[in-house]
mmCIF file of all heavy atoms in Angstrom:
data_model
loop_
_atom_site.group_PDB
_atom_site.id
_atom_site.type_symbol
_atom_site.label_atom_id
_atom_site.label_comp_id
_atom_site.label_asym_id
_atom_site.label_seq_id
_atom_site.Cartn_x
_atom_site.Cartn_y
_atom_site.Cartn_z
ATOM 1 N N THR Y 96 11.936 -0.478 -10.025
ATOM 2 C CA THR Y 96 13.026 -1.061 -10.595
ATOM 3 C C THR Y 96 12.710 -2.298 -11.208
ATOM 4 O O THR Y 96 13.207 -2.757 -12.208
ATOM 5 C CB THR Y 96 14.147 -1.125 -9.563
ATOM 6 O OG1 THR Y 96 14.460 0.153 -9.078
ATOM 7 C CG2 THR Y 96 15.470 -1.747 -10.188
ATOM 8 N N ALA Y 97 11.883 -3.146 -10.447
ATOM 9 C CA ALA Y 97 11.601 -4.593 -11.012
ATOM 10 C C ALA Y 97 10.540 -4.648 -12.100
ATOM 11 O O ALA Y 97 10.528 -5.674 -12.813
ATOM 12 C CB ALA Y 97 11.227 -5.292 -9.787
ATOM 13 N N LEU Y 98 9.924 -3.567 -12.229
ATOM 14 C CA LEU Y 98 8.805 -3.593 -13.278
ATOM 15 C C LEU Y 98 9.392 -3.362 -14.639
ATOM 16 O O LEU Y 98 10.263 -2.325 -14.849
ATOM 17 C CB LEU Y 98 7.726 -2.511 -12.945
ATOM 18 C CG LEU Y 98 6.697 -2.730 -11.883
ATOM 19 C CD1 LEU Y 98 5.937 -1.528 -11.699
ATOM 20 C CD2 LEU Y 98 5.824 -3.970 -12.326
ATOM 21 N N PRO Y 99 8.989 -4.000 -15.719
ATOM 22 C CA PRO Y 99 9.443 -3.720 -17.129
ATOM 23 C C PRO Y 99 8.801 -2.313 -17.492
ATOM 24 O O PRO Y 99 7.746 -1.963 -16.933
ATOM 25 C CB PRO Y 99 8.911 -4.858 -18.004
ATOM 26 C CG PRO Y 99 8.077 -5.684 -17.071
ATOM 27 C CD PRO Y 99 8.146 -5.202 -15.560
ATOM 28 N N ALA Y 100 9.406 -1.634 -18.375
ATOM 29 C CA ALA Y 100 8.846 -0.408 -18.774
ATOM 30 C C ALA Y 100 7.841 -0.485 -19.889
ATOM 31 O O ALA Y 100 7.617 0.490 -20.572
ATOM 32 C CB ALA Y 100 10.099 0.451 -19.335
ATOM 33 N N ALA Y 101 7.190 -1.516 -19.887
ATOM 34 C CA ALA Y 101 6.106 -1.769 -20.999
ATOM 35 C C ALA Y 101 4.958 -0.686 -20.758
ATOM 36 O O ALA Y 101 4.725 -0.413 -19.744
ATOM 37 C CB ALA Y 101 5.655 -3.179 -21.052
ATOM 38 N N ASP Y 102 4.355 -0.419 -21.890
ATOM 39 C CA ASP Y 102 3.230 0.516 -21.824
ATOM 40 C C ASP Y 102 1.998 0.029 -21.012
ATOM 41 O O ASP Y 102 1.357 0.823 -20.352
ATOM 42 C CB ASP Y 102 2.641 0.909 -23.228
ATOM 43 C CG ASP Y 102 3.582 1.700 -24.042
ATOM 44 O OD1 ASP Y 102 4.507 2.257 -23.399
ATOM 45 O OD2 ASP Y 102 3.533 1.750 -25.301
ATOM 46 N N GLU Y 103 1.774 -1.279 -20.972
ATOM 47 C CA GLU Y 103 0.739 -1.737 -20.249
ATOM 48 C C GLU Y 103 0.747 -1.599 -18.816
ATOM 49 O O GLU Y 103 -0.103 -1.819 -17.985
ATOM 50 C CB GLU Y 103 0.258 -3.187 -20.608
ATOM 51 C CG GLU Y 103 1.344 -4.197 -20.257
ATOM 52 C CD GLU Y 103 2.415 -4.481 -21.389
ATOM 53 O OE1 GLU Y 103 2.590 -3.676 -22.277
ATOM 54 O OE2 GLU Y 103 3.159 -5.457 -21.381
ATOM 55 N N LEU Y 104 2.039 -1.266 -18.257
ATOM 56 C CA LEU Y 104 2.267 -1.185 -16.944
ATOM 57 C C LEU Y 104 2.154 0.228 -16.421
ATOM 58 O O LEU Y 104 2.313 0.586 -15.234
ATOM 59 C CB LEU Y 104 3.676 -1.703 -16.467
ATOM 60 C CG LEU Y 104 3.977 -3.208 -16.829
ATOM 61 C CD1 LEU Y 104 5.379 -3.517 -16.445
ATOM 62 C CD2 LEU Y 104 2.880 -4.040 -16.067
ATOM 63 N N ALA Y 105 1.820 1.098 -17.261
ATOM 64 C CA ALA Y 105 1.785 2.531 -16.925
ATOM 65 C C ALA Y 105 0.820 2.795 -15.769
ATOM 66 O O ALA Y 105 1.101 3.635 -14.897
ATOM 67 C CB ALA Y 105 1.395 3.442 -18.175
ATOM 68 N N GLY Y 106 -0.263 2.090 -15.673
ATOM 69 C CA GLY Y 106 -1.263 2.208 -14.606
ATOM 70 C C GLY Y 106 -0.566 1.951 -13.298
ATOM 71 O O GLY Y 106 -0.783 2.704 -12.257
ATOM 72 N N ALA Y 107 0.086 0.764 -13.190
ATOM 73 C CA ALA Y 107 0.755 0.522 -11.859
ATOM 74 C C ALA Y 107 1.715 1.450 -11.494
ATOM 75 O O ALA Y 107 1.898 1.854 -10.353
ATOM 76 C CB ALA Y 107 1.292 -0.971 -12.021
ATOM 77 N N GLN Y 108 2.574 1.783 -12.530
ATOM 78 C CA GLN Y 108 3.698 2.782 -12.241
ATOM 79 C C GLN Y 108 3.082 4.196 -11.819
ATOM 80 O O GLN Y 108 3.585 4.776 -10.869
ATOM 81 C CB GLN Y 108 4.537 2.981 -13.513
ATOM 82 C CG GLN Y 108 5.403 1.713 -13.762
ATOM 83 C CD GLN Y 108 6.078 1.741 -15.055
ATOM 84 O OE1 GLN Y 108 5.795 2.642 -15.985
ATOM 85 N NE2 GLN Y 108 7.023 0.852 -15.215
ATOM 86 N N THR Y 109 1.958 4.564 -12.487
ATOM 87 C CA THR Y 109 1.424 5.878 -12.072
ATOM 88 C C THR Y 109 0.873 5.837 -10.715
ATOM 89 O O THR Y 109 1.032 6.752 -9.939
ATOM 90 C CB THR Y 109 0.222 6.245 -13.138
ATOM 91 O OG1 THR Y 109 0.805 6.216 -14.460
ATOM 92 C CG2 THR Y 109 -0.311 7.396 -12.649
ATOM 93 N N GLY Y 110 0.236 4.627 -10.334
ATOM 94 C CA GLY Y 110 -0.293 4.611 -8.943
ATOM 95 C C GLY Y 110 0.824 4.783 -7.837
ATOM 96 O O GLY Y 110 0.704 5.363 -6.884
#
Side-chain angles (χ1 to χ4, degrees):
T96 300
L98 284 170
D102 289 341
E103 66 266 19
L104 298 178
Q108 292 172 340
T109 301

